[in-house]
């Protein structure tokens, strides 16, 4: 295809983002014919200049969830869903209720290779079909070979805990000791205290019994199968691959440190995995590589040096992929009270800085907080503070004055999105006398943001104002600053951490007590629009936009000549997006979107626009 023809096709479909070619297409509410509903360039992601970039040259932010912890369980044979129908139900809800545009899609090594050297094509087929359900809903996917505590087969039927990951044959060949964590209050303590878990992890990283080689062969077969059984258009929506969840040494060799373990064992493993990706036809997709899981722990006794410090410049073939949980808050002892404004600005700033130093994009592929138990009362504030830190490296109290230091918007996928929350039927470690139904049905966790109600309809378990957020899903240029005030609730208390300052009185009046998002970017002049996700709490009649491009209430449908417009998100789920088309490369732009205004006057819109223009010019020139 010529560059000119590719650009013309890109312009024709730029408001559709991406959607797979498979399956029936919804009616083209935006006026585009079905043949132009999907565009591979808009779907395809690469990494450049420390950002995710789509085929239209736009900076992309991935936001979504992990799908799902059900993969850790045996009740559905290591698959996220019992059926493709359930996968489609989940994908639609994730888009329409949760506001997500991407998922980390969990896979099981134990089920992909149940017998050594024998890949189960039926499992791969079922997993690919479920993956396709999300691609059909316009959701990007990055698969993850998931493990926790190495393998469930390390644990006996009477164990207090369980694991997931490696197949039974891998455990049998290791001949590991009887597992025991001693006095462990949290399942994660098994990582560093359970002798069987530690020995198994050590063996994997040292390729004892050829375990790592076997895993890599299965990984290549899995990636080959997925590529061959998705259409080219569907495969374009696959963002990359996460090789290994939460890696840890198990035990360090004599004289070895966490940093040298990363250098000498973890990073070479990622190089081997990268080669397997290339051989499987994934050469244009990045590996989402995780450092030692304790590198950014927020408890000093856990924290270990790492972050792939000796890997050099990762570049476009790798993404810096990390997790973050507030262990102090989860402990119930080390953090009294609730999280507050800017609680995790430093922690997430460290992620930004590490990715920048490594020359690549970053994703926080797990974050969240328990939704039941003794510390669940902290969840509304902890999760709000984490989303705030993804949006900006500044607390709300400093955002309006220190905006130039806001930093890049981080991609992130919350743990987790499991529609079976609270209705599992899992025989813990195959014990028929220990049938788990509550929460996530795994080691007493309960973090799913969604569940099915009595009529099998997906409903949120957390405040929709927190989860379904405004965020810059695609920016035609470089995002300079972004913030979103979600006004989410902690019980009956509205959490407002970033009020519009009194120095902008007309902006403050326009926003009122409503939600608002504000993005500042410098355009690249390529002609594709900047896109912001519009939550369900922003119905058309209540959506007000004030920008250097104009000011409007209820943005009209997109046309090439409309600088401010709204359109459906791809996938036919009913969710919407704002499209801002800005001419000229290198030009500074801003856009405030709010649902707080009620029939604002032209004078108020124009006054707010003038205030924002002066504010942006003063901070970015």
């Amino acid at each position: 295809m010529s560059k000119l023809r590719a650009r013309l096709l890109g312009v024709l479909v730029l408001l559709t983002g991406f959607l797979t070619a498979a399956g029936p297409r919804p009616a083209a509410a935006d006026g585009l014919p079905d043949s132009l509903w999907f565009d591979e360039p808009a779907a395809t992601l690469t990494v450049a200049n420390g950002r995710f970039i789509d085929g239209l040259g736009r900076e992309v932010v991935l936001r979504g969830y992990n799908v799902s912890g059900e993969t850790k369980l045996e009740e559905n044979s290591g698959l996220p869903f019992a059926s493709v129908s359930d996968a489609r139900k989940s994908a639609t809800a994730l888009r329409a209720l949760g506001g997500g545009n991407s998922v980390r899609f969990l896979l099981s090594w134990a089920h992909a290779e149940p017998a050594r050297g024998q890949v189960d094509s039926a499992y791969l087929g079922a997993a690919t079909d479920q993956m396709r359900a999300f691609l059909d809903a316009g959701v990007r996917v990055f698969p993850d070979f998931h493990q926790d505590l190495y393998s469930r087969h390390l644990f006996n039927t009477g164990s207090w805990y369980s694991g997931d990951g490696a197949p039974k044959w891998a455990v049998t060949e290791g001949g590991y000791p009887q597992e025991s964590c001693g006095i462990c209050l949290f399942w994660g303590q098994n990582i560093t205290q359970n002798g069987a878990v530690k020995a198994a992890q050590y063996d994997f990283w040292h390729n004892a019994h050829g375990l790592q080689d076997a895993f890599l062969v299965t990984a290549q077969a899995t990636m080959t199968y997925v590529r061959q059984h998705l259409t080219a258009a569907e495969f374009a929506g696959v963002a990359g691959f996460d090789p290994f969840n939460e890696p840890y040494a198990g035990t360090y060799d004599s004289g070895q440190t966490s940093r040298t373990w990363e250098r000498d064992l973890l990073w070479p493993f990622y190089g081997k995995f990268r080669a397997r990706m290339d051989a499987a036809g994934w050469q244009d997709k990045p590996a989402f590589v995780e450092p030692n899981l304790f590198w950014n722990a927020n408890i000093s006794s856990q924290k270990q040096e790492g972050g792939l410090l000796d890997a050099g410049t990762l570049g476009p073939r790798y993404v810096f992929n990390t997790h973050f949980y507030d262990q102090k808050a989860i402990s119930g002892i080390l953090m009294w009270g609730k999280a507050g404004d800017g609680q995790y600005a430093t922690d997430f700033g460290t992620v930004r800085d590490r990715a920048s130093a490594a020359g690549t994009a970053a994703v926080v592929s797990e974050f969240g907080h328990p939704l039941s138990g003794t510390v669940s009362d902290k969840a509304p504030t902890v999760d709000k503070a984490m989303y705030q830190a993804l949006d900006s490296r500044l607390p709300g109290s400093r955002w309006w004055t220190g905006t130039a230091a806001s930093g890049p918007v981080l991609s992130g996928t919350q743990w987790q999105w499991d529609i079976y929350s609270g209705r599992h039927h899992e025989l813990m470690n195959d014990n028929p006398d220990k049938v788990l139904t509550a929460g996530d049905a795994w080691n007493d966790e309960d973090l799913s943001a969604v569940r099915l109600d009595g009529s099998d309809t997906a409903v949120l378990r957390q405040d929709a104002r927190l989860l379904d957020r405004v965020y810059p899903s695609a920016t035609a240029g470089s995002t300079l600053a972004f913030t979103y005030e979600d006004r989410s609730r902690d019980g009956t208390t509205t959490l407002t951490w970033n009020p519009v300052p009194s120095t902008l009185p007309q902006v403050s009046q326009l926003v009122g007590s409503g939600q608002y998002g504000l993005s500042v970017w410098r355009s690249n002049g390529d002609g594709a629009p900047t896109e912001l996700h519009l939550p369900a709490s922003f119905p058309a009649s209540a959506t007000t936009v004030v920008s250097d491009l104009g000011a409007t209430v209820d943005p009209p449908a997109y046309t090439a000549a409309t600088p401010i417009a709204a359109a459906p998100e791809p996938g036919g789920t009913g969710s919407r997006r704002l499209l801002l088309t800005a001419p000229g490369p290198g030009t500074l732009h801003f856009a405030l979107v709010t649902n707080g205004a009620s029939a604002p006057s032209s004078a108020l819109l124009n006054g707010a626009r003038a205030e924002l223009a002066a504010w942006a010019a003063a901070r970015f020139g």
Side-chain angles (χ1 to χ4, degrees):
M1 181 184 294
S2 70
K3 290 184 179 179
L4 177 60
R5 186 183 175 203
R7 175 59 57 83
L8 289 173
L9 283 176
V11 171
L12 283 170
V13 296
L14 48 83
L15 88 122
T16 64
F18 78 98
L19 190 64
T20 67
R25 288 289 163 257
D30 52 12
L32 294 176
D34 284 352
S35 61
L36 295 179
W37 185 265
F38 176 83
D39 180 56
E40 286 182 48
T44 301
L45 281 190
T46 56
V47 176
N49 299 319
R51 304 289 189 273
F52 290 109
I53 303 295
D54 70 11
L56 299 177
R58 299 180 298 180
E59 178 183 289
V60 168
V61 171
L62 303 177
R63 286 289 177 87
Y65 304 85
N66 283 259
V67 175
S68 83
E70 175 73 17
T71 300
K72 299 183 181 185
L73 309 182
E74 287 300 300
E75 62 184 5
N76 284 325
S77 301
L79 291 166
F81 302 99
S83 65
V84 173
S85 175
D86 278 0
R88 292 190 181 281
K89 178 185 295 186
S90 181
T92 298
L94 185 144
R95 194 65 145 146
L97 301 178
N101 68 358
S102 61
V103 295
R104 182 174 181 244
F105 190 96
L106 274 59
L107 297 173
S108 167
W109 177 20
H111 289 274
E113 189 186 7
R116 183 161 194 158
Q118 298 180 24
V119 175
D120 188 341
S121 59
Y123 174 78
L124 298 184
T128 303
D129 287 344
Q130 293 184 9
M131 202 179 297
R132 184 180 292 112
F134 286 84
L135 295 166
D136 280 349
V139 177
R140 286 187 174 92
V141 171
F142 61 100
D144 154 50
F145 263 121
H146 206 81
Q147 71 80 37
D148 294 282
L149 309 184
Y150 190 71
S151 173
R152 67 187 298 270
H153 300 289
L154 289 172
F155 298 82
N156 60 54
T157 56
S159 293
W160 290 5
Y161 301 103
S162 188
D164 66 284
K168 185 175 183 178
W169 62 261
V171 171
T172 300
E173 293 195 15
Y176 302 113
Q178 178 74 27
E179 62 85 14
S180 175
C181 192
I183 301 175
C184 288
L185 300 178
F186 305 101
W187 72 259
Q189 291 175 266
N190 284 268
I191 299 169
T192 57
Q193 294 178 224
N194 188 318
V197 173
K198 291 165 63 179
Q201 292 177 115
Y202 180 92
D203 277 359
F204 181 84
W205 298 114
H206 288 80
N207 198 27
H209 318 292
L211 292 171
Q212 192 178 116
D213 289 341
F215 173 80
L216 290 168
V217 169
T218 298
Q220 181 177 336
T222 299
M223 289 184 284
T224 299
Y225 186 98
V226 170
R227 179 183 59 80
Q228 291 177 345
H229 289 80
L230 294 177
T231 67
E234 291 166 346
F235 190 55
V238 177
F241 206 110
D242 185 343
F244 199 93
N245 179 68
E246 295 183 350
Y248 181 64
T251 302
Y252 294 121
D253 290 316
S254 177
Q256 191 177 55
T257 65
S258 56
R259 178 169 178 172
T260 58
W261 173 78
E262 282 193 348
R263 182 194 67 196
D264 298 338
L265 291 172
L266 181 61
W267 184 247
F269 165 74
Y270 287 145
K272 295 173 185 176
F273 195 95
R274 175 71 264 179
R276 297 286 182 168
M277 290 181 70
D278 295 348
W282 292 54
Q283 61 270 18
D284 296 327
K285 299 182 184 294
F288 287 55
V289 295
E290 302 185 35
N292 172 359
L293 76 101
F294 294 117
W295 83 280
N296 63 339
N298 72 333
I299 296 178
S300 58
S301 61
Q302 288 184 343
K303 195 174 186 68
Q304 299 180 16
E305 186 178 28
L308 304 176
L309 292 170
D310 298 301
T313 300
L314 302 187
R317 287 166 58 77
Y318 297 93
V319 168
F320 187 75
N321 172 16
T322 190
H323 299 170
F324 183 81
Y325 294 95
D326 185 348
Q327 298 299 334
K328 292 181 180 179
I330 291 173
S331 74
I333 300 171
L334 299 176
M335 185 185 105
W336 297 102
K338 308 293 184 72
D341 177 30
Q343 186 87 19
Y344 307 115
T346 299
D347 297 296
F348 283 54
T350 299
V351 175
R352 287 177 171 88
D353 293 342
R354 184 67 205 106
S356 177
T360 191
V363 60
V364 183
S365 63
E366 284 191 29
F367 64 94
H369 190 81
L371 299 181
S372 64
T374 58
V375 298
S376 61
D377 65 309
K378 301 178 190 295
T381 58
V382 166
D383 285 343
K384 177 182 173 75
M386 289 182 180
Y387 274 111
Q388 180 193 51
L390 288 172
D391 289 344
S392 170
R393 67 187 303 153
L394 295 174
S397 61
R398 290 168 42 208
W399 193 88
W400 284 92
T401 55
T403 320
S406 185
V409 182
L410 284 176
S411 293
T413 49
Q414 181 177 334
W415 185 272
Q416 64 159 329
W417 190 268
D418 175 15
I419 61 172
Y420 307 119
S421 173
R423 55 162 65 187
H424 292 283
H425 189 85
E426 175 71 3
L427 278 62
M428 183 177 180
N429 298 319
D430 298 323
N431 188 339
D433 296 324
K434 296 178 73 173
V435 179
L436 306 181
T437 60
D440 301 342
W442 194 84
N443 288 346
D444 294 324
E445 290 204 331
D446 183 14
L447 285 92
S448 178
V450 70
R451 64 177 178 87
L452 296 177
D453 67 11
S455 62
D456 285 346
T457 299
V459 294
L460 294 178
R461 299 180 65 223
Q462 294 182 267
D463 190 347
R465 289 162 290 217
L466 169 73
L467 299 179
D468 190 11
R469 309 175 63 81
V470 174
Y471 60 93
S473 53
T475 300
S478 298
T479 303
L480 303 178
F482 175 75
T483 191
Y484 180 55
E485 179 50 78
D486 56 43
R487 314 274 192 184
S488 57
R489 308 295 201 267
D490 179 12
T492 58
T493 301
T494 299
L495 301 173
T496 300
W497 292 352
N498 191 359
V500 178
S502 59
T503 52
L504 301 170
Q506 296 191 79
V507 176
S508 180
Q509 181 183 343
L510 184 70
V511 169
S513 60
Q515 298 167 296
Y516 78 88
L518 176 56
S519 188
V520 183
W521 75 101
R522 201 172 294 281
S523 63
N524 58 14
D526 280 356
T530 288
E531 298 186 13
L532 280 75
H533 171 70
L534 290 174
S537 59
F538 282 70
S541 61
T543 300
T544 298
V545 181
V546 175
S547 169
D548 64 290
L549 303 173
T552 185
V553 179
D554 188 3
Y558 173 81
T559 70
T562 306
I564 301 175
E569 295 274 21
T573 60
S575 56
R576 301 167 63 244
R577 56 188 158 160
L578 181 70
L579 296 98
L580 303 160
T581 305
T587 305
L588 182 69
H589 300 285
F590 65 86
L592 171 83
V593 54
T594 182
N595 61 4
S598 177
S601 66
S602 296
L604 180 58
L605 291 174
N606 290 333
R609 184 182 180 195
E611 286 181 351
L612 287 170
W615 168 85
R619 279 147 187 82
F620 297 100

